[in-house]
Amino acid sequence: MPSTFGFINAKLLFCLLVISILYHSAFVTSKPTGFSLRAVIDDSPESPLYLIENLTIAERLERLIKISYARVNYLNLVSSGDAKLVPDNIRIPILRDALYYAVAFTIGSQGHPVKLLMDTGGGLIWTQCLPCTNCFPQKLPIYNPTASTSYATLPCSHPLCNGDRRLYNCEHGRYCVYNAQYGGGASTSGIASTEAFHFFVDQRSTHPFNVIFGCSYDSRDIAFMNTDISGIFGLSFSPDSMASQFSALIQHRFSYCLAPFDDVTPRPLVLRFGEDIPQLPPQSVGSTQLIASPTSYFFYLGLKDISVAGHRIGFPPSIFQIKPNGLGGFFIDSGALFTHIDADALGGNAYAEVLKVFAAYYGSKYLKQTGASPEGFELCYERPPNFDEFAALTFHFDESVYTVNGQYMHVIAPNFFCVGILKGSSVSVLGAWQQQNKRIIYDGGRGVLEFADENCMNDIA
């Protein structure tokens, strides 16, 4: 497998650390078929990964650009079919720095606290287990399955371990095992198991959910060593993800609302499931169909065209379609920090066409391009005092449009700003930066993505 990007050191921005601790201050609220997990952001003082004060604006920006590229490079492998979901080649990208989110829960009959990085693009759920063959250091105690009366190994007869569509392998006719290999040499392997995961159903009480997860005994070169994080919590369409395992309970629906990243002290966010997702006024909600891919479990959308500052570019409808080899297409991913537009799309360089319109707009404002710009951003301008006429961008779907406010379409500093789009290589992605102050609802049951403008600062646990 190519190792040019080492994505184990760059997991998604909106990967969520799924924590669960039986404390009154971090809780999951619930309706009969829904619940919420409180998320703690890496840049928040509540997070064990708090790093914001150690970086200058320029250093942070360049690091986030590299993270976003690493994420999308990983996704290219998966969507092309070069990275298949088989036991020896499981792909789970991991972001080491910047803008993590964390939620809390406990596992097992002993109520063992764990913190897991939640991956909206992956399925496997795993945590380190005793006894370790090779475990990375973590600050929380390592989970011991022998101490839990609710722990069991997954039988080899289970569909996830048996048949042509299995994700794991049966070893010695007794154990269902997995071996996840990551770019950059990182890996984790262990035994597929079941355990009671305890989520709060109100502010004081929890409810156990029997979850299929990986008990990892051998993990190497993991980027989040020496933190509280002990593994991954997947939320994709993959059969072993949280969303898939509990699709009957939550209707395969989950939702988040990203508060603006320029908030000086980022606030905890809420990942919502099922009926706990707020009901939005129908007139304010946009929606578009989720498009299935034969090679991946990502959330593809049927993008038809793009407008910049009210100017519709007029792309051929096929330019953002998935190619026969599995590459191309357009999907939403909270893990890619910035939006990527494909420079190798079907029928042309969509990235260049979009930047051309931005350049024309700012040329009409007589703005001067900066002599140097952060690596990755090709279009940056000096910012005159009080300038705020930033161009908005609209994604056109068959059913509706998704408009990104000009403020969230750019990375804005006091003296300069950059168009917040990166060059895509065989893929286009709607990144998290362009999801700020949007209610995003993934409705896998109906095969629909819903979205609406919202003040996400109000979406707190």
Side-chain angles (χ1 to χ4, degrees):
M1 162 188 164
S3 59
T4 57
F5 45 86
F7 60 83
I8 195 71
N9 294 324
K11 175 57 196 140
L12 53 98
L13 145 81
F14 184 68
C15 270
L16 300 173
L17 293 173
V18 187
I19 341 172
S20 242
I21 302 176
L22 294 175
Y23 297 158
H24 184 74
S25 60
F27 60 91
V28 179
T29 58
S30 175
K31 297 180 180 180
T33 57
F35 57 89
S36 296
L37 299 178
R38 183 173 179 269
V40 179
I41 310 170
D42 173 30
D43 282 347
S44 167
E46 296 184 50
S47 171
L49 304 173
Y50 182 63
L51 299 172
I52 189 172
E53 292 182 348
N54 299 334
L55 302 175
T56 66
I57 292 176
E59 288 171 338
R60 245 184 129 203
L61 185 56
E62 291 193 0
R63 184 174 297 185
L64 296 179
I65 291 171
K66 291 178 181 178
I67 287 168
S68 197
Y69 269 126
R71 167 68 172 173
V72 174
N73 284 339
Y74 157 70
L75 296 175
N76 281 342
L77 277 185
V78 178
S79 18
S80 69
D82 290 336
K84 299 180 187 300
L85 286 173
V86 296
D88 291 324
N89 199 25
I90 298 171
R91 309 278 200 241
I92 304 175
I94 298 174
L95 175 68
R96 187 175 62 186
D97 353 344
L99 302 174
Y100 291 92
Y101 292 76
V103 292
F105 62 91
T106 62
I107 64 174
S109 60
Q110 303 297 313
H112 184 92
V114 295
K115 296 182 180 180
L116 305 179
L117 193 70
M118 183 182 280
D119 181 6
T120 60
L124 177 66
I125 302 167
W126 64 271
T127 188
Q128 293 198 116
C129 295
L130 294 174
C132 282
T133 302
N134 190 79
C135 279
F136 58 86
Q138 64 179 66
K139 291 183 178 180
L140 286 177
I142 297 177
Y143 165 71
N144 184 358
T146 63
S148 174
T149 58
S150 52
Y151 171 84
T153 58
L154 193 71
C156 284
S157 58
H158 192 280
L160 288 176
C161 202
N162 185 41
D164 294 337
R165 299 177 64 85
R166 68 184 183 275
L167 299 182
Y168 317 135
N169 276 336
C170 183
E171 191 172 86
H172 308 306
R174 182 179 179 187
Y175 294 110
C176 185
V177 300
Y178 59 90
N179 181 9
Q181 301 288 335
Y182 307 99
S187 66
T188 189
S189 59
I191 298 176
S193 310
T194 64
E195 179 57 287
F197 281 38
H198 299 267
F199 299 110
F200 279 90
V201 292
D202 55 40
Q203 294 189 11
R204 299 186 180 184
S205 58
T206 64
H207 182 80
F209 297 85
N210 196 42
V211 175
I212 296 171
F213 79 110
C215 218
S216 284
Y217 298 102
D218 190 345
S219 300
R220 301 170 186 266
D221 298 325
I222 300 296
F224 45 72
M225 63 178 63
N226 296 311
T227 72
D228 288 345
I229 312 168
S230 63
I232 299 287
F233 191 94
L235 193 62
S236 74
F237 274 135
S238 178
D240 55 352
S241 76
M242 170 69 185
S244 295
Q245 290 190 51
F246 295 94
S247 58
L249 174 66
I250 64 174
Q251 300 92 47
H252 214 303
R253 297 177 73 238
F254 66 93
S255 174
Y256 56 78
C257 193
L258 294 181
F261 293 125
D262 61 3
D263 184 20
V264 174
T265 305
R267 302 160 191 249
L269 305 177
V270 183
L271 180 69
R272 300 185 182 277
F273 297 85
E275 288 188 2
D276 197 64
I277 297 172
Q279 295 292 321
L280 305 177
Q283 65 273 15
S284 69
V285 180
S287 67
T288 186
Q289 293 293 313
L290 294 170
I291 298 174
S293 166
T295 59
S296 69
Y297 293 110
F298 306 134
F299 299 99
Y300 284 94
L301 310 174
L303 179 61
K304 302 300 181 184
D305 204 356
I306 294 175
S307 293
V308 175
H311 172 77
R312 187 158 178 167
I313 296 175
F315 284 118
S318 62
I319 198 166
F320 296 108
Q321 289 181 356
I322 302 172
K323 300 176 183 178
N325 63 1
L327 295 176
F330 176 81
F331 56 87
I332 182 171
D333 178 29
S334 59
L337 178 54
F338 298 110
T339 288
H340 293 237
I341 301 296
D342 196 354
D344 187 31
L346 282 170
N349 186 339
Y351 170 77
E353 292 299 316
V354 171
L355 258 60
K356 186 186 300 182
V357 182
F358 273 106
Y361 173 79
Y362 291 116
S364 72
K365 303 294 181 183
Y366 303 103
L367 298 190
K368 182 180 178 181
Q369 284 191 243
T370 57
S373 59
E375 181 181 354
F377 288 142
E378 294 190 17
L379 207 54
C380 297
Y381 292 89
E382 296 178 3
R383 184 186 181 189
N386 302 318
F387 180 84
D388 61 359
E389 299 177 52
F390 302 108
L393 181 145
T394 297
F395 294 105
H396 296 266
F397 303 107
D398 279 336
E399 305 88 349
S400 60
V401 297
Y402 180 105
T403 298
V404 183
N405 180 287
Q407 176 185 356
Y408 306 134
M409 200 57 236
H410 300 76
V411 177
I412 303 170
N415 299 319
F416 74 95
F417 67 91
C418 299
V419 176
I421 297 177
L422 298 177
K423 181 186 291 185
S425 176
S426 300
V427 70
S428 295
V429 182
L430 173 55
W433 198 269
Q434 284 73 36
Q435 298 176 43
Q436 296 178 77
N437 270 345
K438 297 276 191 183
R439 166 64 58 187
I440 306 294
I441 301 173
Y442 298 78
D443 192 332
R446 294 168 52 222
V448 169
L449 181 85
E450 296 180 317
F451 43 86
D453 292 329
E454 183 174 324
N455 183 356
C456 296
M457 300 288 285
N458 297 329
D459 188 43
I460 59 176

